[in-house]
Amino acid sequence: MIEYGRLNMPSSRKEQLRRPLAHINLDALRHNLEVVRSHAEGVKVFAVVKADAYGHGMLACAQALRTRADGFVVSTLGEADALRKSGITQRIIVLQGFMNVSEARFAARLMLEPVLHQAWQVELIEQTSLGLPLSVWLKIDTGMHRIGLPPDQVQTLHARLVASKRLRQAPGLMTHFARADEADAAPTQQQLAVFHAATEGLAGERSVANSAGLLSGAARGALGDVVRPGIALYGSNPLEYGSAADLGLKPVMRLETCLLATKSHVQGDAVGYGARFICPEDMSVAVASVGYADGYPRVTPSGTPVAVNGQIARLAGRVSMDLITLDMRGVQAAVGDTVELWGESVAVDTVAHAAGTLGYELLCAAGRACSRAYVSAQDSKPIE
Ligand SMILES: *Cc1c(COP(=O)(O)O)cnc(C)c1O
């Protein structure tokens, strides 16, 4: 789904024939990295590019950040392999780690940094030569209760890893916050306290914060050596409150399509599946070429803003598979005009909130479903 050839060629013929299109602004991505960095002085910033960079295209985003990010974070060895093959030489943390000896060897050979989250992985390192020394992170479950080692095992496992002499350096120590997006900092501070107690006195780098942990300030003064921002880089608000714009973040994805039809209806006309919108007066309704097959959620309710020709129209009635209908009262537009589902005029978080989800999910879904076109004032050449 990564379409290198089209980078910086948004007017290619092929794109005009396919709707909708996700425009990816790599300058905004770089801007957001600097915003993140300004909250993490003296701390390394590892850009999280898992899930195809949250739908923005992993390789293109990694290339755009390669001279600015101190490292990258992915979920799987396969993603890390793709980064290495594309020429990324920075450090890469692999969150889901390895499942067996051959994967551990693969990680060592590619100089990856797998996350260890179960004791058997430490045993595997002790018992098997991996050919090369390995760099690893120990993930500690401080309250998220998803993956991670029980805090009371950390000192022992750390000592065993160091004694194995199979590591490049002392294992990194990391944890992940469950509730850093909430206004109450107490649960995050509780997790930090557990982390500090479990890791006290141990050698190794520390990494605790995702975007929310960093930008909420809940981990201020305790960020350690490496932060792992994801969503903030893509310009969506990591917090439950406020907005991405308040944080100085710029949208990276603009999901755009075109107006396919405009229609005049009379009072009482029902629009779309299930007659969920009844025209309250004689009015104009427009149809745009996008739907749930493109990652625009079916559950998005009537009234959700959609920018048409720079003005705000409102979704009217059910989202179909590849069409939406719009209440055009007060909006001047014609067939062929540009429709922005999210981007600069409508925040992705506004649509996500209306649909009962998060910007993360919309960006991933639209990025998977739609073609992408990359824009950047900085890179005049397409990325190979
Ligand atoms: C996905 C992930 C991140 C990034 O989270 P954001 O909320 O997108 O900033 C950081 N750390 C871990 C362990 C993750 O799984």
Side-chain angles (χ1 to χ4, degrees):
M1 284 292 277
I2 294 162
E3 315 199 30
Y4 307 99
R6 289 147 143 258
L7 212 60
N8 300 320
M9 294 191 291
S11 60
S12 84
R13 189 173 146 68
K14 200 162 145 221
E15 268 156 24
Q16 290 166 3
L17 297 176
R18 292 173 75 179
R19 298 178 294 259
L21 191 59
H23 296 263
I24 309 296
N25 182 341
L26 298 175
D27 297 326
L29 180 70
R30 285 184 280 252
H31 164 87
N32 294 337
L33 185 85
E34 295 314 318
V35 170
V36 163
R37 197 179 277 293
S38 73
H39 289 261
E41 236 167 90
V43 179
K44 296 188 192 93
V45 179
F46 279 37
V48 181
V49 294
K50 65 189 180 192
D52 208 10
Y54 297 42
H56 295 68
M58 179 179 73
L59 299 187
C61 290
Q63 291 292 351
L65 297 178
R66 65 178 306 159
T67 60
R68 291 156 199 255
D70 300 295
F72 292 97
V73 181
V74 294
S75 290
T76 65
L77 292 166
E79 292 170 316
D81 185 33
L83 285 179
R84 284 284 183 253
K85 283 187 171 131
S86 80
I88 294 292
T89 54
Q90 278 104 326
R91 298 172 60 186
I92 302 176
I93 297 177
V94 183
L95 293 171
Q96 293 183 17
F98 55 79
M99 294 296 292
N100 52 48
V101 173
S102 73
E103 289 189 0
R105 289 199 172 121
F106 182 84
R109 194 163 74 242
L110 270 64
M111 303 262 287
L112 307 176
E113 303 184 16
V115 170
L116 310 185
H117 50 88
Q118 291 183 82
W120 66 263
Q121 296 172 310
V122 172
E123 207 170 301
L124 183 151
I125 289 173
E126 288 175 320
Q127 294 179 350
T128 329
S129 164
L130 301 175
L132 290 165
L134 186 64
S135 297
V136 300
W137 289 81
L138 280 176
K139 183 159 184 187
I140 303 154
D141 178 7
T142 58
M144 174 92 169
H145 298 144
R146 198 176 51 179
I147 59 174
L149 298 157
D152 62 2
Q153 292 182 15
V154 174
Q155 300 273 341
T156 310
L157 293 173
H158 185 280
R160 281 170 53 188
L161 281 170
V162 171
S164 79
K165 299 212 158 51
R166 298 205 201 273
L167 299 189
R168 223 170 262 287
Q169 70 276 315
L173 299 158
M174 64 181 281
T175 193
H176 192 47
F177 297 135
R179 300 176 62 182
D181 54 327
E182 298 173 21
D184 181 5
T188 300
Q189 283 159 357
Q190 173 63 30
Q191 282 194 262
L192 276 171
V194 173
F195 181 77
H196 290 139
T199 58
E200 208 188 329
L202 296 179
E205 288 177 305
R206 308 301 202 254
S207 175
V208 296
N210 55 356
S211 300
L214 180 64
L215 297 180
S216 66
R220 192 169 291 129
L223 291 172
D225 305 288
V226 171
V227 290
R228 313 183 305 267
I231 195 69
L233 299 179
Y234 307 103
S236 167
N237 183 11
L239 308 175
E240 252 184 17
Y241 50 92
S243 71
D246 293 344
L247 295 167
L249 301 171
K250 293 183 181 170
V252 178
M253 181 189 292
R254 188 173 81 250
L255 185 64
E256 216 175 79
T257 188
C258 70
L259 213 61
L260 198 63
T262 56
K263 314 251 289 170
S264 299
H265 292 303
V266 298
Q267 184 182 15
D269 279 353
V271 176
Y273 287 118
R276 290 305 180 91
F277 183 84
I278 310 290
C279 295
E281 57 187 305
D282 296 358
M283 60 184 281
S284 162
V285 169
V287 185
S289 174
V290 65
Y292 58 79
D294 304 303
Y296 192 85
R298 180 173 178 277
V299 295
T300 314
S302 290
T304 302
V306 174
V308 181
N309 212 3
Q311 307 150 75
I312 297 297
R314 305 269 162 193
L315 200 65
R318 278 254 163 88
V319 172
S320 302
M321 185 179 284
D322 43 26
L323 295 173
I324 55 171
T325 36
L326 301 170
D327 175 346
M328 296 294 281
R329 285 176 291 176
V331 177
Q332 297 305 313
V335 167
D337 280 353
T338 299
V339 175
E340 179 195 293
L341 288 319
W342 60 71
E344 281 96 35
S345 304
V346 177
V348 67
D349 298 315
T350 302
V351 182
H353 186 252
T357 182
L358 299 174
Y360 296 73
E361 191 178 7
L362 299 198
L363 295 170
C364 287
R368 207 160 49 229
C370 301
S371 299
R372 288 186 288 251
Y374 291 88
V375 278
S376 164
Q378 186 172 309
D379 308 317
S380 52
K381 273 196 311 170
I383 292 163
E384 298 92 56

